[in-house]
Amino acid sequence: AFLVSSIVSNHKMKYAMGIGAFFMLGGLINTVMLPSPIWFTIVDLAGAYVPMGYIAGKLATGKE
């Protein structure tokens, strides 16, 4: 998400959140296909993809 946000010139946050959502879809498919404890699934889906996309977008935009 950071790399994509660094490359594009406009709408950096939208691209970063789009990448985060895309990876969240992959993570959701992964948790359905592979067995894991419920706490791991919740922490994985809630704290890994969209929040990290948001942080990457904020880092790429800098101070505006």
Side-chain angles (χ1 to χ4, degrees):
F2 178 75
L3 181 65
V4 170
S5 295
S6 298
I7 292 172
V8 299
S9 59
N10 294 330
H11 306 290
K12 291 179 183 281
M13 185 59 78
K14 289 181 183 178
Y15 278 98
M17 295 301 286
I19 294 295
F22 180 71
F23 277 106
M24 184 170 180
L25 178 65
L28 181 65
I29 292 169
N30 189 28
T31 58
V32 169
M33 292 172 66
L34 299 173
S36 63
I38 192 70
W39 67 268
F40 183 79
T41 301
I42 293 169
V43 170
D44 181 42
L45 294 177
Y49 304 107
V50 175
M52 293 304 141
Y54 178 77
I55 291 170
K58 281 299 200 184
L59 288 174
T61 57
K63 291 186 177 180
E64 290 187 8

